Amino acid sequence: MNFVKTIRERRSIRKFNSIPVEQELVIELLYAARQLYPSREEVAFRSMYAGTADSKERLAVSMLEPLVKNRLVKWLPEKVRDFVRKRVTDIPGHLIIIASTDADRRRSDMNYAAVCGIMQNFQLLAWQRGLGTLWDTEPMMQSKELFELLKLQPNERLVGIFHLGYFDKAPRARARTQAEKKWTILSSGGGAI
């Protein structure tokens, strides 16, 4: 497996075809992603899969509920709300990732980082199998209605939702920020150069 090639070629997919994503494949990829993550510690997370018409509808409704209740958004035409609902229900599958938290901030952050690493592995493995993903962390997902649907516990944190599906065409690569532009050298005098 050429990891560098896979990393460079992987794209976030926003347009999926209608081929269903089998739950067994998602489980297989999650298992493999966890096995590739180099951690001696137990990584505490759980996942949920919405791949049926009913589960995708329930997910869409819970994601839209805060928008419907928002006074400013109430003026949105019904067509716009229907478009958003249809967008969620038309995507073949949604993998919801929930990380456990801890009273110890460091342990909580370490677990969250590990879960994110596993999810990155998942995206790369999915890409190799021709499965597109979009890791969604939109603010509308931080709603009471969605948390109730997911039965989110006080010691849990929503990491995000992977929208999953097969695709007919991958988008072109976008320009990436060069590493040097994010690079700062700490000088021996303590300041940045």
Side-chain angles (χ1 to χ4, degrees), residues 33-50:
R34 174 57 187 104
Q35 295 304 315
L36 286 171
Y37 189 79
S39 174
R40 294 179 193 174
E41 310 250 340
E42 181 62 31
V43 181
F45 73 99
R46 67 184 174 98
S47 57
M48 299 176 80
Y49 187 64

Side-chain angles (χ1 to χ4, degrees), residues 2-193:
N2 185 340
F3 290 111
V4 173
K5 183 176 187 274
T6 302
I7 291 167
R8 283 194 177 144
E9 289 179 353
R10 191 203 66 77
R11 303 282 177 267
S12 291
I13 302 298
R14 289 174 171 79
K15 187 174 182 181
F16 304 99
N17 62 35
S18 61
I19 297 171
V21 177
E22 294 301 321
Q23 184 173 295
E24 292 76 20
L25 174 61
V26 176
I27 292 168
E28 176 188 330
L29 293 172
L30 263 176
Y31 180 78
R34 174 57 187 104
Q35 295 304 315
L36 286 171
Y37 189 79
S39 174
R40 294 179 193 174
E41 310 250 340
E42 181 62 31
V43 181
F45 73 99
R46 67 184 174 98
S47 57
M48 299 176 80
Y49 187 64
T52 64
D54 177 61
S55 63
K56 292 187 293 183
E57 182 66 36
R58 290 173 53 214
L59 181 63
V61 167
S62 69
M63 289 173 75
L64 278 170
E65 190 63 29
L67 294 177
V68 172
K69 289 180 178 176
N70 184 320
R71 280 188 249 172
L72 297 175
V73 182
K74 279 185 181 180
W75 301 107
L76 278 178
E78 192 69 29
K79 283 183 184 180
V80 173
R81 285 186 263 169
D82 285 346
F83 172 79
V84 173
R85 187 195 58 73
K86 187 171 176 0
R87 172 79 179 120
V88 172
T89 58
D90 282 354
I91 293 174
H94 305 274
L95 177 63
I96 300 134
I97 305 299
I98 299 165
S100 294
T101 60
D102 192 285
D104 179 317
R105 171 91 185 256
R106 182 181 176 282
R107 272 200 296 255
S108 192
D109 288 349
M110 295 293 286
N111 188 65
Y112 182 78
V115 172
C116 289
I118 292 167
M119 295 303 88
Q120 182 63 40
N121 289 347
F122 179 89
Q123 285 186 300
L124 295 171
L125 291 168
W127 184 261
Q128 287 185 321
R129 299 286 287 272
L131 184 63
T133 61
L134 177 63
W135 189 341
D136 195 351
T137 58
E138 291 295 322
M140 70 187 228
M141 293 181 354
Q142 302 300 321
S143 73
K144 180 181 75 131
E145 293 79 9
L146 181 60
F147 291 173
E148 286 173 0
L149 176 71
L150 303 178
K151 297 184 179 5
L152 203 69
Q153 300 300 307
N155 66 332
E156 292 182 319
R157 175 180 180 184
L158 177 63
V159 177
I161 298 177
F162 274 135
H163 306 298
L164 308 169
Y166 295 98
F167 54 97
D168 298 321
K169 184 179 175 188
R172 280 189 267 159
R174 296 186 328 191
R176 304 275 181 177
T177 304
Q178 295 177 351
E180 294 82 13
K181 294 195 180 198
K182 303 254 181 190
W183 181 264
T184 303
I185 298 173
L186 190 61
S187 69
S188 58
I193 297 178

